[in-house]
Amino acid sequence: MLFASTTFLVGFLPTVLLLIYFIRHAFGARCAIALLTLSSLVSYAWYFPPFLLLLVASVVANYWLGNLVYLTGSRLLTSLGIILNLGLLGWYKYAGLIGDLVESVSGQSLGVPEILLPLGISFFTFQQIAYLVDIYQQKTKPSDVLEYLFFVSFFPQLIAGPIVHHKELMPQLKNTRFAEFNSEDIAAGLVLLSIGLAKKVLIADRLAPGADTLFEAQALGIQLSAAEAWFGMLCYTFQIYFDFSGYADIALGLARMFGLRLPVNFASPYKSTDIIEFWRRWHISLSTFLRDYLYHPLGGNRHGPVRRYANLWIVMLIGGLWHGAGLQFVVWGGLHGVYLTIAHFWRRSTDRRLHPALAFALTFIGVVIAWVYFRADNILQANEIIWVMCGGGVDLFSTDIYANQALPSVVLTFAILIAFFAPNSLEIEERVLNQSLGTKSVAWFAFSGSFAALALSQIYSSGGHAFIYFQF
């Protein structure tokens, strides 16, 4: 169920909120958990009902394994659980890629069928791997089956994160604010929801045609200029920024309405002055997962600089592959591995610091170049576009392919100003709630704003667009 849709905003969300508040007041927190879990499963099944069977099966298997690991402290069972989770993810996400690679090298087909990727499988797989490891390391304790099902399936974060830790979410179910009507939580949630919707439907979706035009033109063999290549890539750079940032805001806002706090997953990453800072601000829960459950177990920075840089490369290559079953994603991750290696080497080998403006510019340009591989259909297409961006095309300044596209130019200008100079959503939420208007006035303002964003989205398009991270 798309968050930026009338079905969700006018039907699903108000109905679930009212029922949850009533059930919590009349029958207690346990019944509220059950209803919210059921609502989350309905929301997930809305996309494609068979996916629900896979999600429930994964939950049951990991719940059972988690209890066994807790009782036995078995490293073997923990490893088995990790292997089973990665095997499930590997089959649905990478079987086709492996089959294509084998066929291209050997000429023999493995007979891999066409596989439909289940929504959110990358996120709920990593979340459950973290749960098993945390159980083994005694950082958390198993909950009952209902609470565990809620932990995995909670609809604001199920499809595209953040990746939530069991020890972070479960204690909140015992708080008095959980599932209770609270004007401050409603106001804060609506502010974040409104901002997230505006980012998605008024900025990200309006930039999509500018990005799509570039890659479609290249695929058709149209000669591109450097200006066209840079404009198209800037459209995509800010499209994915506001698309993912919008989802992160919506997830936080929806959870807040139920009296729950999800971890912050996005913190103005384009304001970073080096790539290390970028990865502390972009997809924070994934970066934290890769650091805690891959980089540190590999040895982190404890065995000298060579091992450290090798570990960085491994982590970023796997992070790239996690995003998609294509070699272009591996190159994207590898580029960020190169960037991180350079950044850490610079920090380690010299006390000199680049001027902030230069450091910011280098970081941003590096991110834009890497996004070419992230967005491209294949490595060859990405290489061609980068070649043109570097001045290798027949022309530098023509804008023929964008002759009839005025809207992306205007939206891109506003997107740049907002991303670089405006406060982020959490800062806005804090400022708004601290104003003398009061939470009721703020709630009404935010509520109106969310539906204004929805109305404008319907004016500009015939329906909602899925978030980019839904494909991962």
Side-chain angles (χ1 to χ4, degrees):
M1 194 177 299
L2 293 175
F3 292 159
S5 68
T6 51
T7 302
F8 179 82
L9 289 173
V10 179
F12 180 84
L13 180 59
T15 302
V16 172
L17 281 172
L18 291 174
L19 284 175
I20 288 294
Y21 295 151
F22 171 76
I23 293 295
R24 175 71 162 95
H25 180 74
F27 302 103
R30 185 72 177 175
C31 290
I33 295 171
L35 179 58
L36 192 49
T37 303
L38 178 61
S39 302
S40 297
L41 296 177
V42 169
S43 174
Y44 185 75
W46 194 275
Y47 295 101
F48 185 62
F51 287 162
L52 182 60
L53 298 176
L54 177 66
L55 173 65
V56 172
S58 176
V59 167
V60 170
N62 279 282
Y63 176 75
W64 177 70
L65 278 169
N67 279 276
L68 286 179
V69 170
Y70 180 73
L71 292 173
T72 64
S74 172
R75 186 188 183 102
L76 178 62
L77 283 175
T78 306
S79 300
L80 176 62
I82 293 172
I83 292 170
L84 289 175
N85 278 287
L86 291 178
L88 182 69
L89 179 63
W91 168 254
Y92 278 99
K93 200 161 187 176
Y94 307 112
L97 172 64
I98 294 172
D100 291 341
L101 289 175
V102 170
E103 185 173 358
S104 65
V105 172
S106 66
Q108 300 295 318
S109 173
L110 295 180
V112 178
E114 192 73 25
I115 300 172
L116 186 62
L117 181 68
L119 285 166
I121 188 170
S122 297
F123 288 91
F124 68 70
T125 297
F126 271 24
Q127 186 157 313
Q128 294 189 100
I129 288 175
Y131 169 75
L132 292 176
V133 175
D134 287 350
I135 288 286
Y136 173 73
Q137 295 178 346
Q138 300 182 347
K139 293 180 179 178
T140 191
K141 295 181 180 180
S143 52
D144 60 53
V145 65
L146 173 61
E147 290 184 355
Y148 184 75
L149 180 58
F150 167 79
F151 159 68
V152 178
S153 65
F154 186 41
F155 73 87
Q157 51 82 216
L158 173 60
I159 306 298
I163 300 168
V164 182
H165 288 272
H166 188 266
K167 61 185 177 183
E168 295 173 336
L169 189 60
M170 289 301 99
Q172 297 186 53
L173 299 182
K174 297 178 173 58
N175 290 345
T176 56
R177 294 176 78 150
F178 167 65
E180 287 279 8
F181 181 87
N182 181 286
S183 58
E184 182 180 342
D185 286 338
I186 291 292
L190 285 171
V191 167
L192 290 170
L193 173 62
S194 302
I195 295 172
L197 282 172
K199 286 179 178 178
K200 168 61 178 171
V201 302
L202 303 181
I203 300 179
D205 288 352
R206 307 284 73 78
L207 290 173
D212 294 343
T213 297
L214 170 65
F215 289 88
E216 290 167 1
Q218 193 283 330
L220 292 172
I222 297 173
Q223 295 292 327
L224 301 169
S225 70
E228 290 169 334
W230 274 101
F231 179 80
M233 277 314 304
L234 286 175
C235 284
Y236 183 73
T237 296
F238 288 95
Q239 178 199 356
I240 194 170
Y241 179 96
F242 283 98
D243 191 280
F244 188 41
S245 177
Y247 184 93
D249 291 341
I250 291 171
L252 291 178
L254 292 174
R256 188 73 182 269
M257 292 183 198
F258 295 103
L260 299 172
R261 299 289 188 103
L262 295 180
V264 175
N265 208 25
F266 199 91
S268 304
Y270 286 175
K271 295 178 181 178
S272 303
T273 55
D274 70 15
I275 206 68
I276 300 171
E277 183 185 359
F278 174 84
W279 278 106
R280 289 172 180 165
R281 292 168 172 259
W282 177 278
H283 209 330
I284 298 169
S285 65
L286 176 62
S287 301
T288 303
F289 177 93
L290 293 174
R291 181 197 67 198
D292 294 345
Y293 300 98
L294 185 57
Y295 180 71
H296 286 165
L298 287 172
N301 58 0
R302 299 189 300 273
H303 303 289
V306 175
R307 179 73 174 272
R308 176 187 194 174
Y309 300 143
N311 291 339
L312 280 174
W313 271 67
I314 292 170
V315 168
M316 294 314 300
L317 289 172
I318 291 175
L321 195 58
W322 177 87
H323 280 88
L327 294 179
Q328 66 272 29
F329 291 101
V330 178
V331 175
W332 174 78
L335 272 175
H336 277 278
V338 172
Y339 298 159
L340 286 168
T341 300
I342 294 171
H344 281 289
F345 180 79
W346 180 270
R347 284 189 178 186
R348 183 173 181 270
S349 61
T350 181
D351 292 330
R352 297 179 60 187
R353 292 290 181 263
L354 296 176
H355 188 279
L358 178 60
F360 160 77
L362 289 174
T363 302
F364 182 72
I365 291 171
V367 169
V368 174
I369 294 297
W371 281 139
V372 180
Y373 288 95
F374 196 91
R375 172 60 178 81
D377 295 328
N378 52 64
I379 292 176
L380 292 178
Q381 183 181 48
N383 289 341
E384 176 63 26
I385 290 175
I386 289 175
W387 172 249
V388 174
M389 291 171 70
C390 293
V394 296
D395 192 359
L396 293 178
F397 302 110
S398 70
T399 56
D400 294 343
I401 66 172
Y402 294 108
N404 299 318
Q405 291 193 22
L407 182 61
S409 301
V410 176
V411 176
L412 179 60
T413 301
F414 281 104
I416 291 171
L417 293 173
I418 293 170
F420 291 155
F421 302 108
N424 62 40
S425 305
L426 295 177
E427 293 168 340
I428 293 173
E429 173 214 349
E430 182 179 357
R431 293 179 188 181
V432 170
L433 292 180
N434 287 334
Q435 298 300 311
S436 59
L437 292 173
T439 53
K440 290 184 179 179
S441 297
V442 171
W444 175 248
F445 172 77
F447 188 74
S448 303
S450 66
F451 281 92
L454 173 65
L456 286 171
S457 75
Q458 300 306 308
I459 291 172
Y460 281 115
S461 64
S462 58
H465 298 274
F467 289 87
I468 292 174
Y469 265 75
F470 276 25
Q471 64 186 291
F472 307 136

